[in-house]
Amino acid sequence: MPDTGAVKSQDTPFEGGPMDGRVLPVLLGPTGHPPKTYRIPVPDAHGGPPTVLVYRRAPRAQSKRLGLVQGWKYTFDAEGGKGAKGGAGLRWPWSRPAAGANPTPSDQPDDADG
């Protein structure tokens, strides 16, 4: 493996799905943790759009006394990020409404008259 200098990686095991039992080096973020989700695009054999495998970070083990996380592993997300943990992400009050959502409640009239 080539020298990456200041970039750190950690050998992280994968559980479930097609990557079950494999251990891959995953780049760590500025906090020293791997990313919360790991997406692996798998090309289609017939030239169609690639299938994306989604894995979610989970604690591998915890210390007995303080309950601190000892390491991380990735578990397969069969829904592919469309479940409760995935999807559109955080919705802040000042962000734009989701696509297809009604921005004004139906029980209040629009203030188009002035």
Side-chain angles (χ1 to χ4, degrees), residues 3 5 17 19 21-22 43 47 55 63 82-83 87 90-91 96 103 111 113:
D3 183 28
M19 299 290 290
R22 295 189 184 183
Y55 285 84
S63 64
K82 296 180 181 120
L90 296 175
R91 298 298 306 166
R96 294 182 180 163
D111 193 20
D113 298 324

Side-chain angles (χ1 to χ4, degrees), residues 53-75:
L53 303 175
V54 178
Y55 285 84
R56 302 232 177 257
R57 183 180 73 184
R60 188 181 340 176
Q62 293 182 341
S63 64
K64 293 183 181 192
R65 184 171 285 189
L66 297 175
L68 300 175
V69 175
Q70 296 292 322
W72 299 100
K73 65 182 177 182
Y74 282 106
T75 57

Side-chain angles (χ1 to χ4, degrees), residues 33 71 94:
H33 298 284
W94 55 83

Side-chain angles (χ1 to χ4, degrees), residues 20 23 28 56 89 110:
D20 190 26
V23 178
L28 303 178
R56 302 232 177 257
D110 289 336

Side-chain angles (χ1 to χ4, degrees), residues 5-109:
V7 179
K8 293 186 177 184
S9 66
Q10 177 182 12
D11 290 337
T12 308
F14 286 76
E15 291 183 354
M19 299 290 290
D20 190 26
R22 295 189 184 183
V23 178
L24 297 177
V26 177
L27 294 177
L28 303 178
T31 60
H33 298 284
K36 291 182 180 180
T37 58
Y38 195 82
R39 299 177 190 279
I40 304 170
V42 179
D44 188 31
H46 303 292
T51 302
V52 179
L53 303 175
V54 178
Y55 285 84
R56 302 232 177 257
R57 183 180 73 184
R60 188 181 340 176
Q62 293 182 341
S63 64
K64 293 183 181 192
R65 184 171 285 189
L66 297 175
L68 300 175
V69 175
Q70 296 292 322
W72 299 100
K73 65 182 177 182
Y74 282 106
T75 57
F76 183 65
D77 184 5
E79 295 179 6
K82 296 180 181 120
K85 290 185 178 179
L90 296 175
R91 298 298 306 166
W92 299 101
W94 55 83
S95 60
R96 294 182 180 163
N102 189 3
T104 58
S106 59
D107 58 342
Q108 294 180 354

